[in-house]
Every structure is written in C-alpha cells, then in structure tokens.
C-alpha cells in the first residue's frame, strides 16, 4: 500500500496558488471600487460645472405664491430651502423694492442695490 497523500512541498505550492488566486480576485475588486469612485467623482464635478450660478437676488413668496414676502441678496442665510424663493435680476429686485416688497432685514438688499426710498 503506497502513501498517495501530497507531499509537504506540493501542499505549499497549492497554498501559494490559492493565495495568488485570492489576491488577484481582491485586486480586481479594489480596481472595480476605484473605477466606480472615479466615475462618481467625475459625475459630481460635471454636475458642479453644469450647475447654473446662484442668483444674485431672490424674492421670497408666501404660501399662496401671490404674496411677496421679502427681497433677499442671493447668499442670505435667512432664505430657507422651502422652494418659495425665485431668482431675480438686479432690475427685477429694484422693481420689487419700488413696489414696496420689504427688503430682508438681515442681508439688506436695498442697501446693496443702492435703493433709497
């Protein structure tokens, strides 16, 4: 009866092949993750580049959309993300102030626009 079990050297070579196979699979997975993250980053950059510039002036509307609440400077911290603000041109902001739409007491768009009643 002969001993047909693999030798220690054969087992070590087998273990080496398994480690190489697992390392290749792990590297392939890492490469997929890197490629996916690069794609996301490129998409985010494209989105930022394509985003229109923030409006310089805003008008805040009330809940009924007809009631004009206030004129704001574009970067006013008081403006909420409620979707009730619409971007304005400089001329439109001045016109709204002329029509007695109140200026925001925090960002003072009337002062920035040089509007004097």
């Amino acid at each position: 009866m002969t001993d047909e079990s693999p030798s220690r050297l054969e087992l070590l070579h087998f273990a080496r092949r398994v480690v190489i196979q697992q390392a290749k699979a792990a590297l392939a997975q890492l490469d997929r993750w890197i490629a996916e993250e690069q794609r996301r980053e490129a998409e985010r950059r494209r989105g930022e580049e394509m985003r229109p510039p923030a409006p310089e002036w805003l008008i805040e509307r009330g809940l009924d959309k007809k009631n004009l609440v206030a004129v704001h400077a574009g970067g006013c911290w008081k403006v909420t993300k409620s979707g009730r603000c619409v971007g304005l041109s400089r001329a439109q902001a001045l016109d709204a102030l002329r029509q007695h739409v109140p200026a925001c007491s925090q960002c003072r768009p009337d002062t920035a626009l040089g509007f004097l009643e």
Side-chain angles (χ1 to χ4, degrees), residues 1 4 9 23 30 32 36 38 42 45-47 49 52 56 61 70 88 93 98 100 106-107 111 114:
M1 196 179 195
E4 295 198 21
L9 182 60
L30 280 172
R32 286 191 297 272
E36 180 64 21
Q38 287 172 332
R45 277 195 308 272
R46 271 193 313 277
E49 291 168 0
E56 220 175 324
R61 294 189 248 156
L88 299 175
R98 281 189 206 104
H100 303 290
Q106 303 301 313
C107 63
T111 304

Side-chain angles (χ1 to χ4, degrees), residues 51-57 74:
R51 183 178 297 141
E56 220 175 324
W57 311 104

Side-chain angles (χ1 to χ4, degrees), residues 30-43:
L30 280 172
D31 289 341
R32 286 191 297 272
W33 289 341
I34 288 169
E36 180 64 21
E37 193 58 33
Q38 287 172 332
R39 185 195 61 75
R40 282 189 197 125
E41 185 65 24
E43 189 174 288

